Amino acid sequence: MLDLAPVKPLWTPSRSFMEQSNLKKFQNWLFVKKGLYFKNYHDLWDWSVTDLDDFWESVWQFCEVKSHSLYFEVLIRQNRDFIGTKWFRGATVNYAEHIFRHKNPARPAIMFQSEQEPLRELSWRELEKQVGAVAVYLRQSGVVAGDRVVAVLPNGPQAVVAFLATNSLGAVWSSCSPDFGTTGILDRFQQIEPKVLIVADGYTYNGKGFDKLPAMRQLISQLPTLKRTVLVPYLNSEAQLPKTDSWKDVLKTSFSTLEFTPVPFDHPLWVVYSSGTTGKPKAITHSVGGCLLEHLKALTIHQNVKPGDRYFWYSTTGWMMWNFSVASMLAGATLVLYEGAVQYPTMNVLWDLAEKAKINHFGGGAAFYLACMKAGVSLQGYKFNQLQSIGSTGSPLPPEAFEWIYQHVKKDVWLISLSGGTDICSAFVGGCPTLPVYSGEIQCRLLGCKLEAYDEAGNPVQNELGEMVITQPMPSMPIYFWNDKDNQRYRASYFENYPNIWRHGDWIKINDRGGIIIYGRSDATLNRDGVRIGTGEIYSAVESVPEVTDSLVVCLEQTGGKYFMPLFVVLAKGQELTDDLKKKINLQLRSQFSPRHVPDAIYELSEVPYTISGKKMEAPVKKILMGTDPAKAASRDTMRNPQALDFFAQFNRAQV
């Protein structure tokens, strides 16, 4: 397999940057407090996945986690099973309490901008006042620890306030973004039987307003466990819904002090959902303590977020990156939010925000950076003086996007490519402030994450394409799936291939320097004459052709052990899929990778189908092309562009 990374790094941290990093401070702390010395990051990582008890207890101590009771054991694991692993038995904690310990009148708690509202700030005092009022309202509504509070809200301060209020009581949070279809929301919320629902009257996207009041009426009528509903006017300040309380009135609820209910370490924090491309979404439930500890590690130690930093990640309330960005407040960051389309009014809108809000840590999906690159976005005149890191996730970031960022955004910036998922509400692999950045390559396996690449025989391999697995438990792995009898769906999702080993479903390669390259989902693997090819390689080559703006590839099994690999391309405006262009695409694939990467046929389509979280829907497309009923192959309510599946539903199977 061709290694995409050149020998020369794109960025190397300066000595002062490394010495002042939180990771280096953690290493120094380990030496002083525990007598542990590590020559380099890889030695530190090896210890972190070998001595799990000592490592996670060290993170707890270094990050000064506050427990309202003593813990007795760090890790209890029976029969080497991941499911049922217990962490910090006896500890009682509160996630929101750890956010509010950073309140500071000298800096804002939240900064917010939307398509319809200019950049504004929310002070810590105002945040505390709003969270306290909502918490008292919820308590008066009968909400107690363990009850579910759910929301359908845009990515504004109201969602953060509602989450923190919910969590302060020990209640369980869950949210969807208002661009979800009603069926998709019901498929999620009906599973967890919420007591309180908080909704917006609509949202804006790409300069247009979308009224959601009829959908919210339907939603309320089909959630029989609701005791109260709150309406947040977003599109229209005069919006009303029958039998609902107004957000404005809720914020007027009187309270004296904001109180925090401590709960056991493994008490549920929130419920997030798998993409739900087939069947009902899996209601993945994470623990308060597990996410608290993992997020402190990931954001403080790995992403080097410090008190007063400004942290932004473009997201919606229906993607786990919303939860992860809120977690930056655990490290003392000011959270920067944006609600709207990345391309409205221009593709520069988020870069303008980065400059204006003086963002230190800027994040987005890989598709955003690729779109900027394809559109030829000009950032001349931007200084980005405060910008320290640029984050990318959602799909593999190809080498050309790495290079575009360093050539066109900022030369001296730390590019953090993350990969993890909703499954752990964090990352398995990502950034390290003491390591260089190489093109197309994720810097490292994160501390405490025993990640390996397995060959077909289940043996760990290096410098070879393999199945991503995690061989030791992590605190933020799900405590369970909601209403999952005997953990059947939980076990089937991760542990069917290898006993007591988590299979994540990505093809990866770990190279000699510990860097990771992700080649796409293993469940959408391309098989060419017995050789496995990750879809990420195909996209990297095809989408570097100027005439192509997007692409999707699948491999279809046929009789006699044969395979047919069609490539579908979205063309730039004014382009046609001529024989010459097909030859150009094939030549690019052959020269950059190998003849096996060349498709059997190339077809034009108007748009690639994506999940709401921005993942290409290769597996559902493959099922449709293999004859599965499109209604059974994918849930349209969980798609960003459900109409994109129509092309494949109507595709002439005689062609394949």
Side-chain angles (χ1 to χ4, degrees):
M1 187 64 62
L2 180 68
D3 193 331
L4 299 181
V7 174
K8 186 178 179 183
L10 291 171
W11 177 82
T12 302
S14 67
R15 179 171 292 276
S16 63
F17 185 85
M18 289 190 284
E19 289 298 323
Q20 294 168 19
S21 70
N22 289 332
L23 179 68
K24 181 62 175 173
K25 291 175 184 175
F26 180 53
Q27 285 184 264
N28 293 341
W29 182 93
L30 288 170
F31 180 70
V32 172
K33 297 290 186 180
K34 295 182 178 286
L36 295 170
Y37 170 74
F38 301 102
K39 184 172 58 177
N40 52 41
Y41 176 80
H42 304 295
D43 286 350
L44 175 63
W45 176 84
D46 190 60
W47 165 75
S48 78
V49 297
T50 303
D51 194 342
L52 292 180
D53 298 57
D54 202 16
F55 167 70
W56 286 108
E57 187 173 43
S58 296
V59 173
W60 175 290
Q61 293 167 348
F62 176 74
C63 294
E64 298 179 340
V65 172
K66 178 183 178 180
S67 177
H68 293 258
S69 55
L70 296 174
Y71 60 83
F72 305 107
E73 292 175 272
V74 172
L75 173 60
I76 305 170
R77 189 179 178 193
Q78 296 179 343
N79 303 319
R80 297 198 57 76
D81 197 350
F82 278 56
I83 299 175
T85 298
K86 300 291 185 183
W87 298 88
F88 292 89
R89 186 172 66 89
T92 49
V93 295
N94 187 281
Y95 192 96
E97 183 176 21
H98 285 78
I99 285 177
F100 275 97
R101 68 180 177 176
H102 291 288
K103 65 181 181 180
N104 188 325
R107 55 178 180 258
I110 295 173
M111 301 177 74
F112 170 66
Q113 182 179 316
S114 71
E115 289 185 0
Q116 59 185 18
E117 191 173 353
L119 184 65
R120 65 179 174 91
E121 297 181 353
L122 188 71
S123 70
W124 276 102
R125 181 181 178 183
E126 184 60 29
L127 178 65
E128 186 172 25
K129 180 182 174 184
Q130 291 189 18
V131 170
V134 176
V136 170
Y137 167 84
L138 292 174
R139 191 181 294 115
Q140 291 173 349
S141 302
V143 173
V144 297
D147 285 342
R148 277 75 64 204
V149 175
V150 299
V152 184
L153 291 172
N155 184 27
Q158 298 92 337
V160 180
V161 168
F163 161 66
L164 292 173
T166 299
N167 180 256
S168 73
L169 301 176
V172 184
W173 171 260
S174 193
S175 62
C176 289
S177 58
D179 56 353
F180 274 43
T182 308
T183 301
I185 298 172
L186 285 168
D187 283 347
R188 287 157 168 77
F189 290 170
Q190 282 178 340
Q191 294 186 62
I192 65 172
E193 300 178 311
K195 183 173 277 187
V196 174
L197 169 68
I198 304 171
V199 300
D201 63 323
Y203 66 101
T204 58
Y205 189 83
N206 211 22
K208 298 177 182 176
F210 294 85
D211 179 15
K212 296 292 289 188
L213 284 177
M216 293 305 103
R217 289 190 193 97
Q218 182 185 351
L219 182 66
I220 294 165
S221 70
Q222 295 186 51
L223 291 174
T225 58
L226 290 178
K227 301 298 182 187
R228 302 290 281 271
T229 302
V230 179
L231 176 66
V232 178
Y234 186 80
L235 274 184
N236 178 4
S237 61
E238 304 300 318
Q240 292 184 345
L241 265 177
K243 298 179 181 179
T244 62
D245 298 321
S246 77
W247 181 254
K248 188 176 180 181
D249 289 341
V250 170
L251 293 183
K252 292 177 182 176
T253 308
S254 62
F255 81 104
S256 53
T257 56
L258 177 57
E259 299 175 353
F260 302 100
T261 301
V263 293
F265 188 95
D266 59 358
H267 184 83
L269 170 65
W270 50 44
V271 179
V272 291
Y273 305 90
S274 65
S275 55
T277 50
T278 58
K280 285 198 182 293
K282 291 170 286 204
I284 299 169
T285 310
H286 294 123
S287 71
V288 173
C291 282
L292 173 62
L293 204 56
E294 169 61 32
H295 290 159
L296 285 168
K297 180 209 74 178
L299 287 148
T300 302
I301 297 175
H302 274 283
Q303 284 207 11
N304 203 37
V305 180
K306 299 178 180 179
D309 282 357
R310 296 183 176 186
Y311 190 95
F312 168 80
W313 204 291
Y314 179 77
S315 182
T316 71
T317 56
W319 187 25
M320 55 82 40
M321 288 310 297
W322 178 85
N323 308 63
F324 192 77
S325 63
V326 171
S328 68
M329 300 176 80
L330 291 170
T334 291
L335 175 63
V336 183
L337 302 171
Y338 182 79
E339 169 63 23
V342 298
Q343 71 274 16
Y344 181 83
T346 72
M347 285 293 293
N348 288 60
V349 64
L350 295 187
W351 300 114
D352 290 339
L353 176 65
E355 188 89 313
K356 188 165 41 178
K358 299 179 180 179
I359 288 170
N360 303 105
H361 307 277
F362 178 98
F368 166 69
Y369 302 111
L370 287 166
C372 288
M373 182 181 74
K374 285 281 184 181
V377 169
S378 173
L379 297 175
Q380 285 186 352
Y382 290 75
K383 298 189 183 301
F384 299 128
N385 289 331
Q386 285 78 22
L387 191 60
Q388 299 169 23
S389 72
I390 293 178
S392 173
T393 195
S395 58
L397 190 68
E400 57 269 24
F402 272 72
E403 286 149 19
W404 180 84
I405 287 169
Y406 280 102
Q407 290 170 8
H408 297 274
V409 182
K410 190 175 181 180
K411 187 176 180 181
D412 183 19
V413 72
W414 174 26
L415 177 52
I416 304 171
S417 182
L418 289 173
S419 183
T422 302
D423 320 82
I424 63 165
C425 204
S426 187
F428 296 117
V429 294
C432 174
T434 61
L435 293 176
V437 173
Y438 292 88
S439 183
E441 189 176 303
I442 297 172
Q443 284 178 290
C444 66
R445 293 173 279 191
L446 297 195
L447 297 174
C449 179
K450 187 72 162 74
L451 180 145
E452 304 282 2
Y454 271 16
D455 64 15
E456 288 179 318
N459 300 312
V461 293
Q462 203 157 349
N463 290 315
E464 291 181 30
L465 189 65
E467 182 85 51
M468 181 198 288
V469 298
I470 292 87
T471 64
Q472 296 283 6
M474 297 171 63
S476 69
M477 285 176 171
I479 44 175
Y480 45 73
F481 290 177
W482 203 274
N483 284 337
D484 179 23
K485 187 179 179 182
D486 299 324
N487 294 306
Q488 292 178 0
R489 294 188 80 192
Y490 189 177
R491 201 169 295 281
S493 296
Y494 310 111
F495 303 108
E496 282 193 335
N497 292 65
Y498 309 101
N500 297 325
I501 289 175
W502 176 297
R503 171 189 172 271
H504 195 60
D506 283 328
W507 287 125
I508 65 164
K509 180 168 63 173
I510 304 169
N511 62 26
D512 287 332
R513 57 177 165 258
I516 296 95
I517 302 165
I518 297 182
Y519 292 88
R521 296 293 294 171
S522 56
D523 55 11
T525 307
L526 312 174
N527 190 319
R528 303 291 277 170
D529 302 321
V531 176
R532 298 177 298 183
I533 297 173
T535 55
E537 288 185 322
I538 302 287
Y539 301 142
S540 173
V542 171
E543 292 168 27
S544 68
V545 175
E547 294 88 345
V548 178
T549 61
D550 206 355
S551 61
L552 184 137
V553 66
V554 293
C555 198
L556 310 176
E557 294 84 2
Q558 297 187 313
T559 56
K562 296 180 180 179
Y563 296 89
F564 179 76
M565 191 173 88
L567 170 68
F568 301 92
V569 294
V570 179
L571 299 181
K573 190 174 181 180
Q575 298 295 327
E576 294 182 9
L577 187 60
T578 62
D579 288 342
D580 285 343
L581 181 53
K582 290 180 182 179
K583 289 176 184 176
K584 184 176 181 179
I585 293 169
N586 289 337
L587 179 62
Q588 183 80 353
L589 285 161
R590 182 179 283 106
S591 60
Q592 192 167 331
F593 292 106
S594 77
R596 290 190 180 93
H597 289 71
V598 175
D600 295 304
I602 303 177
Y603 304 99
E604 182 181 353
L605 78 165
S606 59
E607 57 182 332
V608 170
Y610 281 92
T611 65
I612 284 177
S613 60
K615 291 181 170 58
K616 296 185 183 187
M617 298 179 66
E618 297 141 329
V621 165
K622 178 177 177 177
K623 289 178 182 178
I624 292 170
L625 295 180
M626 294 290 288
T628 300
D629 181 348
K632 295 180 179 179
S635 170
R636 290 182 174 239
D637 287 305
T638 62
M639 293 182 62
R640 177 191 295 171
N641 52 346
Q643 69 283 354
L645 281 183
D646 296 341
F647 171 88
F648 299 99
Q650 297 162 9
F651 196 74
N652 183 1
R653 288 202 73 241
Q655 293 176 271
V656 301

